[in-house]
Amino acid sequence: MKDTNEPVEIGGASDKPAAGAEGPEELRRQIEETRSQLGDTVEELAAKADVKGRAKARGAELKGKASDAGHTVQGRAVQAGHVVQEKATEAGHVVQEKATEAGHVVQEKATEAGHVVQEKASWAGHAVQERVPQPVRDAATAVVQAGRRNPKPVLIAGAGVVVAAGLLRRRHNGHR
C-alpha cells in the first residue's frame, strides 16, 4: 500500500510507461496488475475520504495519551501524599520528643526549687529557734499544747494579739 500523503494518480496510469501486450497472457497480466494498482488506489482514497474513521482513530490515540498522562499524574500525587504523610509523622515525633524533654526539665527545676524553699524554711526555723530565748520557747510550746487541747480561747487571744500588734504598728508609723 502506498503512503497516504503521496499524490494519487487516477485513471490507471502506472509508474512504468505503457507497453503493448505481446499476447493474451501478457495482456491478462497487465490487466491484473492494473486492477491491483487500482484497488490499492481506491483503498487509499477511501482511507483519505473516511474523515470520521480517521477522527476516531486520532481520538482513540489522544485518549490513550491522556489516560497515560492521568495515570502518571495520579501516581505522582499518591507518591507525594506518602512523602507528606511521612514528613508529618516525623515532625510529630520530633515535637513529642521536644515536649517530653521540656516536661522533664520543668519537673527537675520545680523539684530543685522545692528543695531550695524547704532548705531555706528549715534554716529560717532554726535561726529563729536559736535566737528566741528559752523561756519564750517554753511559753510558746505551752500555748501550742494548750491550743491543741482547747482551741477556741487560743484563737480569740491570738486574734486580739494580732489586732493589738496592728494598732501599735500604725501608731509607730505615724498613722492615727
XYZ file of all heavy atoms in Angstrom, residues 10 70 74 89 133:
35
model
N -5.048 8.875 -10.799
C -6.295 8.181 -11.121
C -6.344 7.973 -12.632
O -5.861 8.775 -13.398
C -7.501 9.019 -10.657
C -7.411 9.254 -9.152
C -8.814 8.345 -11.015
C -8.496 10.103 -8.578
N -2.808 10.893 32.789
C -3.608 10.902 34.020
C -3.086 9.903 35.026
O -2.980 10.200 36.225
N -1.592 10.801 38.627
C -2.181 10.166 39.804
C -1.107 9.434 40.609
O -1.078 9.525 41.834
C -3.273 9.190 39.370
C -4.021 8.558 40.528
C -5.122 7.610 40.060
O -5.174 7.241 38.881
N -5.990 7.219 40.965
N 4.534 12.738 60.057
C 4.748 11.787 61.152
C 6.080 12.063 61.833
O 6.161 12.093 63.072
C 4.709 10.340 60.619
O 3.430 10.117 60.012
C 4.917 9.337 61.727
N 14.768 33.358 123.180
C 15.188 32.852 124.494
C 14.382 31.618 124.897
O 13.229 31.451 124.509
C 14.916 34.009 125.444
C 14.648 35.191 124.582
C 14.291 34.705 123.231
